Amino acid sequence: MAAMLFNQLGVIGCGLMGGSFALGLKKAGLVKRVVGYSKSPSTTDLAKRLGVIDVAAESALLAVSGSDLVLIAVPVSATESTLKAIRHMVNPNVLVMDVGSTKGDVVSAAKRALGKHIDAFVPAHPITGKESGGVQNADAGLYADCQVILTPLPQTNAELVQRATDVWSALGARVLKMTPENHDAAFAAVSHLPHLLAYAYFQSVAAQPAGRDYLSLAGPGFRDFTRIAASDPTVWRDILMANKAEVLIQSQRFRQALDAIEALLKDDDASGLETRIRLISEARAQWQLPSAVSRQPK
């Protein structure tokens, strides 16, 4: 543990994810000091009052100054501008990570922004979150029992990849590594498309003339199915646009599956419908959520 001690964590984006990372490191005794920056001074003021950060920086660059660990917890669309703002402080001794839900666009942004310093950047995606964001909901245990996906590049410093693995593991996470391309294809299927469908389905019900009446009759099944339709619109706009190619591929596959089931209904094929549903039901019953993922994907 002592060998992993960081002198200073610079957090850029003192919300739920960045704040929870800071609290987790503090609780584990892995960092001496936390410096935070957010675009909104009220956010960093609150983070300081809550003990999430020790010092509020006036800029992203000042948050990185003197830090040997940096976490960028901003919307994925702001990744490039954030990295450009700090690149002069990035060197081979500084571990820089993000927490973005897409990786292909983040990696491309990092290449453009960091240039030769790209070797210090370890892209990361913690599969966790809460329905309510903000630093006031930061939780030292947010990353315990979750999966964290790292998508290092061939030129990424291997020592920093190991340090990234160690720090997430110290917070209780299970760390996996994959390419940015495989990450984005996988999460289009299991996270990004489900959000798109939840938004579309809820709208299809609520926008009907009798939608308000229908919603008043909805039960736990409807609640559970549409829960993620309450997710942050700005965050999910960025995610869906950033990964639109893979999301559209998955959307087409879903449409084909739905068309096949609709065809059975149109043909009054009750036997075929039951067979199709049974196969799907049995497959779903055999699937289990990975033990390290105790919270819904972000």
Side-chain angles (χ1 to χ4, degrees), residues 152-164:
L153 301 175
Q155 59 266 51
T156 306
N157 185 322
E159 182 179 339
L160 292 181
V161 175
Q162 187 58 54
R163 292 181 74 190

Side-chain angles (χ1 to χ4, degrees), residues 12 20 24 47 50 54 141 150 153 163 165-166 168 176 178 189 208 220 225 275 279 288:
I12 302 174
S20 295
L50 293 174
D54 303 311
L150 302 181
L153 301 175
R163 292 181 74 190
T165 301
D166 291 343
W168 287 112
L176 303 176
M178 60 177 65
Q208 294 179 41
F225 190 86
T275 298
L279 290 172
Q288 292 184 344

